[in-house]
Structures are given as C-alpha cells and as structure tokens.
C-alpha cells in the first residue's frame, strides 16, 4: 500500500556496463489500480544561493 507523500528509492542497473544508480521518487497520488509518482529532484525548480570565499587564484 502506497501513501501520498512517501519517498521511495528505486535502483536502476544496467547489466551490460555494471552501472547502478538510485532515484528518489515521491508518491503524489494513489488510486485503486495506479499511483502517480514524481521523479523530479527535490530541489527542482527552487533557487539555490551559494555563499563562497575565494581562497587562492592560480598565477
């Protein structure tokens, strides 16, 4: 049973290249037979502000 708001982790693997990656999925809506799943990154569409200091510049 899935519940809207749950976060799921899906493992995708490609046997030919031995590559495995993980996706974070969010359950959006659950019906009788189907569920809507969102696979966008949680930070998608949000503004990212970075505060950085330059320590050294190459000469």
């Amino acid at each position: 049973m899935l519940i809207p708001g749950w976060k799921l982790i899906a493992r995708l693997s490609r046997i030919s290249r031995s590559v495995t990656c993980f996706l974070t999925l969010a359950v959006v809506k659950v019906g009788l037979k189907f569920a809507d799943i969102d696979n966008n990154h949680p930070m998608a569409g949000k503004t990212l502000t970075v505060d950085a200091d330059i320590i050294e510049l190459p000469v």
Side-chain angles (χ1 to χ4, degrees):
M1 176 180 198
L2 294 175
I3 297 176
W6 274 11
K7 303 289 186 212
L8 309 172
I9 297 177
R11 180 177 63 132
L12 305 175
S13 55
R14 294 182 63 175
I15 297 170
S16 63
R17 294 187 185 175
S18 300
V19 175
T20 301
C21 67
F22 296 90
L23 294 175
T24 301
L25 308 173
V27 179
V28 178
K29 183 174 82 173
V30 178
L32 294 175
K33 292 186 178 183
F34 300 98
D36 290 345
I37 305 293
D38 180 7
N39 70 339
N40 285 325
H41 190 279
M43 293 295 292
K46 296 185 180 177
T47 301
L48 177 63
T49 303
V50 177
D51 183 13
D53 294 325
I54 299 174
I55 298 172
E56 184 178 337
L57 291 174
V59 179

